Amino acid sequence: MAAPLEIVILSGSPRRRSYTRSLAHHIGDVLRRDGARVELIDLHETPLPSLDPELRGARNIHPDAGVATLLRAAAAADAYVLASPTYHNSYAGVLKNALDYLSIHDFRYRPVGLAGHGGRSTQAVDHLRQVVRGVLGVSIPTQVCTQESDYAGKAGESGFYDIVDSDIRERIERFAQELLLFAEHMRDLRAAAGSPRQSLR
Ligand SMILES: Cc1cc2nc3c(=O)[nH]c(=O)nc-3n(C[C@H](O)[C@H](O)[C@H](O)COP(=O)(O)O)c2cc1C
């Protein structure tokens, strides 16, 4: 039997009571239910220091524990989910900072699912799609963009809201299935292509 697919989710909201965090955790639950191994890096719980490009090569010895976790998770990833609130017609800066720690070695031949929160606007995910192309990742076509009314009224102490809109819940199911399908086939593609991590310059 093939090993479970390893999915890394980056949740890009810095606030605790957050729709984006709720969305990212819900997507993680669906992917786990469907057999994937999920590592969710929540940038509220694990804020990362601003990138120091001098340390970018220090993958195995990065002094910050959160960055070290991100780099370790990325090294094993078969696929990613990037989730962000809409900030100033784009995605959040903390997510950009996290992505700047990574490179084409982490994304090449790997599918990326995009999710955003903010009036069901696609601005955050549209911009993320460009960034993913820049690191040679493959954004999957289905994306999830939510608004406040897709969630139940009040976040509990944990800061999470329940997703109550049935269309969004259904879309998340389709999103997860598509991501896993791409991840499985692209894992085979990477095996057939040899060792792209080493052959990239
Ligand atoms: C710096 C900043 C910029 C924002 N810019 C936008 C924006 O351009 N468009 C929008 O619809 N909402 C904008 N918002 C509102 C957030 O999208 C909204 O608060 C959202 O709920 C944040 O997501 P979260 O609940 O996951 O933290 C902005 C919020 C902040 C803090």
Side-chain angles (χ1 to χ4, degrees):
M1 214 173 74
L5 292 162
E6 306 274 353
I7 316 289
V8 174
I9 301 180
L10 290 178
S11 175
S13 175
R15 67 174 190 158
R16 188 169 69 84
R17 289 178 201 275
S18 154
Y19 298 103
T20 305
R21 291 182 73 214
S22 308
L23 178 59
H25 282 263
H26 181 91
I27 291 170
D29 290 343
V30 170
L31 289 166
R32 276 190 201 101
R33 182 205 66 200
D34 289 350
R37 259 207 301 250
V38 174
E39 176 126 24
L40 198 156
I41 297 174
D42 181 330
L43 297 171
H44 160 72
E45 287 172 351
T46 311
L48 304 182
S50 292
L51 175 78
D52 176 354
E54 298 289 328
L55 291 176
R56 208 157 167 260
R59 283 195 77 102
N60 300 320
I61 51 162
H62 200 285
D64 181 82
V67 174
T69 299
L70 171 66
L71 296 174
R72 181 189 41 71
D78 293 304
Y80 295 84
V81 174
L82 307 180
S84 178
T86 305
Y87 275 8
H88 298 330
N89 291 357
S90 186
Y91 61 96
V94 293
L95 179 57
K96 182 65 165 69
N97 183 54
L99 290 170
D100 287 344
Y101 280 101
L102 304 177
S103 73
I104 55 176
H105 297 272
D106 301 299
F107 281 95
R108 194 184 190 208
Y109 296 155
R110 286 165 180 80
V112 183
L114 302 175
H117 171 77
R120 287 200 182 175
S121 157
T122 64
Q123 287 167 324
V125 298
D126 289 344
H127 289 184
L128 281 167
R129 221 169 259 283
Q130 286 190 349
V131 173
V132 168
R133 194 216 58 76
V135 287
L136 303 185
V138 179
S139 301
I140 64 168
T142 299
Q143 58 194 27
V144 183
C145 299
T146 62
Q147 60 189 358
E148 255 182 68
S149 61
D150 297 327
Y151 298 82
K154 267 195 164 175
E157 267 314 297
S158 60
F160 296 120
Y161 299 87
D162 287 331
I163 298 174
V164 291
D165 184 89
S166 57
D167 289 343
I168 291 291
R169 291 182 75 97
E170 221 171 273
R171 178 173 275 262
I172 290 170
E173 294 293 322
R174 177 152 60 92
F175 172 89
Q177 279 170 24
E178 193 173 282
L179 186 72
L180 294 175
L181 183 71
F182 274 61
E184 198 179 323
H185 286 284
M186 292 183 87
R187 181 164 66 181
D188 293 345
L189 180 75
R190 286 199 304 283
S195 189
R197 269 179 204 281
Q198 281 150 32
S199 61
L200 285 170
R201 294 279 178 273

